[in-house]
Amino acid sequence: MARPALEVADILRDHGPAWREANRGHVSLDQLKVMSAIERCRTAALGGHVARCENAACGYTEIAYNSCGNRHCPKCQAAASRQWLAEREAELLPVPYFHVVYTLPSELRHIAYQNSRVVYNLLMKAAAETTLAIASDPKRLGARIGVTAVLHTWGSALTHHPHVHMIVPGGGLSLDGTRWVAARSNFLVHVNLLARLFRGKMLAMLMHAHDAGEFEVLQHPCRACRQENVQALHLPAAAHQVGCPLQGAVRRAGAGAALSLPLHPSCRYLEPPPRCSQ
């Protein structure tokens, strides 16, 4: 396969140092390690091996540099991605599928960015529970379904935009497990039902996690806003302020969160509403 004219590694090598300097203090150690791995992947920095033709008259030599093996590297994980897609395709049933997207409103994204492990787990859990609960409701589909869900943390504009993509089969097993219950070919369930239930579940889970002390950082990512509005969280005198940013964000999100939930056949490409974009 021919090498593409431009790779992610090329962009990081050219602009990575300036970007890291401009975002000093906002990039985690893990993210810095990923950038370094991608920049060094298949270069002399990681070493390599030499293949030489044994024919003395030829002596053709080719140098192959070692790969970084990082799970975020697009070059190293290309084969694994193709294998994963083939395995998921083999699991598909001969029924219509729907594309469902659950997103976090912009008011909650800075909390998710700094508490990614907790919030991303809750996002996946709330999305799955919402879809399964609505589908099993006898007033709706009345079936036990399965879903394939993938977490995306960045949008097409390369901004932080946590959302869950799901492919949902147009049907499932009846609640007694004796027959197949098929959905309409062009409709699964009403988007407003999913939106209301997802919003309620997500906000309840966030508040429970906050009350349980699972959030390590609740500061605004902007340095200026952080200096003006939030004191250092490790100071005992500021301990009573820890919940304020989250509770404020939850109230704003609960009042007017816009959720992108396209429930049309997945062959159609639908953009999230502008209000969901950061």
Side-chain angles (χ1 to χ4, degrees):
M1 181 182 296
R3 183 181 184 275
L6 183 66
E7 296 181 336
V8 173
D10 297 324
I11 299 174
L12 293 183
R13 293 188 195 109
D14 291 343
H15 304 285
W19 185 88
R20 286 190 288 270
E21 181 61 29
N23 292 274
R24 183 188 295 271
H26 297 278
V27 186
S28 69
L29 179 59
D30 288 337
Q31 291 168 331
L32 292 174
K33 289 180 178 179
V34 169
M35 291 185 69
S36 176
I38 295 176
E39 291 173 9
R40 292 155 55 90
C41 186
R42 301 186 189 181
T43 68
L46 295 182
H49 55 277
V50 178
R52 180 177 291 110
C53 179
E54 296 180 346
N55 188 332
C58 175
Y60 175 78
T61 301
E62 184 174 295
I63 300 176
Y65 295 116
N66 295 331
S67 301
C68 67
N70 192 285
R71 70 186 184 92
H72 300 281
C73 178
K75 286 188 289 190
C76 292
Q77 300 306 319
S81 298
R82 289 193 296 268
Q83 180 181 354
W84 185 89
L85 288 172
E87 292 172 351
R88 301 292 78 75
E89 186 176 11
E91 296 172 351
L92 295 178
L93 301 173
V95 299
Y97 275 80
F98 296 84
H99 181 204
V100 184
V101 182
Y102 292 92
T103 73
L104 282 183
S106 59
E107 295 90 343
L108 296 177
R109 290 177 196 160
H110 71 276
I111 298 175
Y113 185 79
Q114 300 186 63
N115 298 271
S116 57
R117 183 179 297 274
V118 175
V119 177
Y120 294 165
N121 283 338
L122 295 182
L123 176 58
M124 291 288 283
K125 183 178 180 181
E129 288 185 1
T130 297
T131 308
L132 298 179
I134 293 295
S136 64
D137 186 346
K139 296 180 181 179
R140 311 305 170 191
L141 183 60
R144 291 185 292 128
I145 65 172
V147 300
T148 298
V150 177
L151 172 68
H152 283 188
T153 56
W154 299 87
S156 57
L158 297 183
T159 56
H160 185 234
H161 182 71
H163 56 285
V164 174
H165 287 270
M166 280 188 180
I167 53 171
V168 182
L173 292 176
S174 60
L175 300 181
D176 60 8
T178 61
R179 59 189 178 87
W180 177 263
V181 179
R184 286 154 55 183
S185 61
N186 61 349
F187 182 81
L188 184 62
V189 294
H190 200 284
V191 63
N192 290 341
L193 293 173
L194 287 173
R196 286 196 297 268
L197 183 57
F198 171 69
R199 184 181 296 116
K201 283 183 175 290
M202 190 69 208
L203 296 181
M205 291 178 182
L206 285 170
M207 292 306 301
H208 181 269
H210 164 255
D211 294 340
E214 296 182 19
F215 291 111
E216 298 180 359
V217 180
L218 287 177
Q219 299 184 25
H220 196 280
C222 171
R223 183 178 289 107
C225 295
R226 180 165 68 248
Q227 292 173 345
E228 293 177 2
N229 301 324
V230 183
Q231 299 180 28
L233 296 183
H234 65 275
L235 295 178
H240 67 282
Q241 299 185 14
V242 172
C244 296
L246 173 62
Q247 293 168 355
V250 166
R251 284 194 293 270
R252 291 194 297 273
L259 302 175
S260 169
L261 290 164
L263 301 183
H264 304 276
S266 56
C267 59
R268 296 185 60 184
Y269 181 76
L270 296 173
E271 285 285 351
R275 286 192 300 164
C276 282
S277 300
Q278 186 170 350

